[in-house]
Each structure stands twice: as structure tokens, then as C-alpha cells.
Amino acid sequence: MIKIGVIGCGFIGSQVCTAIDSGDVKAALFGIFDNSEEKMDAILASLKSASPEKCAPEELIAKCDLIVECASQEAVLKYALPAVQKGKDMMILSVGALQNPDFRSALQKEAAANHSKIYIPSGAIAGTDGLKAAAAANLSFVSVTTRKPLSGLAGSPYLIENNIDLANIKEPVLIFEGKAADAVVGFPKNVNVCATVSLCGVGFDQTVVRIIADPTISENIHELEAFGDFGHMKMTIENQPSPQNPKTSYLAALSVISALKKITDPIQIGV
């Protein structure tokens, strides 16, 4: 049974721990880490059967088989390379960190050299399987349009740098249009789906991203569109935000649990 360490004890991390604790994911929860003692204590108090330890990330990397990152792009940049260099597998949720081509190349090289796997769940969007298939031929255009309530965008660096005051927005407004490479930097906690789509399709510099601030909705809505030799794909998903964090869609947590089930289950469906 594989030993899992979780970095980041927010909504997604707590859902992962609960799924392992309940036996829904057939793995052992060895340890957890978060900068917040309160969040770690809340998870430990909620678990019934598993008894994970509070561990520094370095200890998780040393003693676990798989590290699940549910924290931030900064955590990916800090811990992913050391993990794969020690031959450990890594599951990355803050996929925007991979927009850095030098970091991405180094991570891929070290993972291959040390026989490690890097897992990237589909997150809060659907259609990544079809997009990957379409990319086997020519893809001429890929875009992601994200529509979020104001609470889901608050505090984003792009808004601060461009003096965009969400309090002044009373109707849906396009606040960003550009390439995914810029979107994941300007909105590091909001548009990881754009990074995942970029990796599946035409890359960070060719994927078009539009972000709409919409005070009239409560859902996080993502629309994926692609054109290529395969034809035309258009898919919309309306996500319920997590109860604890409006920046995170509930489906993102479920996609991690699904990915862990796939890794630990001998029967593979939809590969």
C-alpha cells in the first residue's frame, strides 16, 4: 500500500485526507503539512481511522511514496524537484507553476532519471481527455473562458497591479484576455485549469484565456473550446465553489480523489 503525504490542508487537502481515511482511496495517509497549525489540527480531529503525523515537507518527501500538493505554486516550485530527485511520485494541483519552461523541463528530466511519476488531475474542468486525443493531430486553436463571482477573484495579483477594484463591478466584465502563461501568473489561485488545458493542448503561449468577473453568479464557470483536424470541441462546466474557499471548485477536489483511485486501483477505466 502506497504511503501518501499531503502538502496543504485547505479544502482540497482535507477532502483527500478524508477519502484515504474512509478507505475510498486504498492508500496509507502517512503525514500532512501546512503553514497553519489550526488547519492541520482540524484535519487530524476529523479523521477516524488514519493517524497521520504532522511532518515537515522534507520528512514527507523522505518517507512517503507519493506527495500530493494542494497548497500553492510556491510549494510546487520548492518541493517538486526534491521529491522527484529522491524517486518519489508527485501529484500537482497548483499547475500554474509549470508555466515556467525551465522549471517544467528540469522537473520532467529529473522525474525520468529517477523513475518518478508526476500526476496532474483534470481539476475543475472537463474535456482534457478529448483535448489530449485531439492534440495527437493538429490543433489550430484552444481557448478557456473562465467566469467567476467576485469573491473567487479577490486578491489576485493582476487585479492589484492593474488597480481593478472589484467593488466597482456591478455587471459581468471581461477583466483579462491573453495567453495562459500570463493568466496563471496574474491569477495564481484562480485559473489552474488554464495551465492543465495548456499542457494537454497547444501550450501556455498559444492557449487563449479570458477571465470574466461576474457579480450575478455564484458558480465558477469554465468553457473550453478547441479547433483542429479532429473537428470542433466546445464544453462548459458550471462548478460549485468549495464551502471553505470560493477560489476553489468542489470538482477540483473530486478530481484529485479520482486520480488517486486510478493510481491505486488495478482496474483502469477510460485510459
Side-chain angles (χ1 to χ4, degrees), residues 50-261:
S51 299
E53 302 176 17
K54 294 181 185 179
C55 299
E58 294 78 10
E59 185 178 2
L60 292 179
I61 290 170
K63 296 182 178 180
C64 294
D65 304 306
L66 169 63
I67 306 300
V68 180
E69 174 277 318
C70 312
S72 64
Q73 292 185 22
E74 290 77 14
V76 176
L77 295 172
K78 189 172 183 179
Y79 302 120
L81 266 175
V84 299
Q85 285 169 342
K86 290 186 178 295
K88 305 307 173 76
D89 294 336
M90 190 85 195
M91 183 172 290
I92 294 175
L93 274 294
S94 303
V95 197
L98 300 184
Q99 65 85 22
N100 182 316
D102 293 334
F103 175 73
R104 187 169 71 249
S105 176
L107 189 62
Q108 186 173 11
K109 180 180 178 180
E110 291 294 331
N114 294 286
H115 308 289
S116 298
K117 296 289 187 184
I118 299 167
Y119 300 104
I120 301 174
S122 56
I125 201 164
T128 54
D129 53 348
L131 186 61
K132 286 189 294 182
N138 177 60
L139 272 173
S140 56
F141 177 82
V142 178
S143 72
V144 179
T145 300
T146 291
R147 184 183 296 264
K148 287 203 171 193
L150 305 186
S151 59
L153 294 166
S156 299
Y158 181 88
L159 300 181
I160 296 170
E161 292 166 8
N162 290 275
N163 296 313
I164 298 174
D165 186 356
L166 293 176
N168 294 328
I169 295 178
K170 307 302 181 185
E171 58 185 26
V173 175
L174 178 68
I175 57 172
F176 176 89
E177 184 169 13
K179 58 187 181 181
D182 295 330
V184 298
V185 173
F187 300 86
K189 297 183 180 297
N190 307 95
V191 293
N192 281 299
V193 294
C194 301
T196 304
V197 167
S198 297
L199 293 169
C200 290
V202 294
F204 285 89
D205 288 329
Q206 299 300 318
T207 302
V208 176
V209 176
R210 304 179 190 90
I211 300 174
I212 298 170
D214 190 342
T216 69
I217 61 172
S218 58
E219 301 87 1
N220 297 324
I221 302 173
H222 302 296
E223 182 181 283
L224 169 64
E225 186 166 24
F227 293 87
D229 290 348
F230 76 98
H232 175 215
M233 174 193 302
K234 190 171 185 179
M235 184 174 300
T236 300
I237 183 163
E238 299 181 5
N239 291 293
Q240 292 298 323
S242 77
Q244 291 95 331
N245 183 359
K247 294 180 174 65
T248 300
S249 297
Y250 184 31
L251 185 64
L254 298 178
S255 79
V256 183
I257 295 169
S258 175
L260 289 172
K261 286 182 178 181

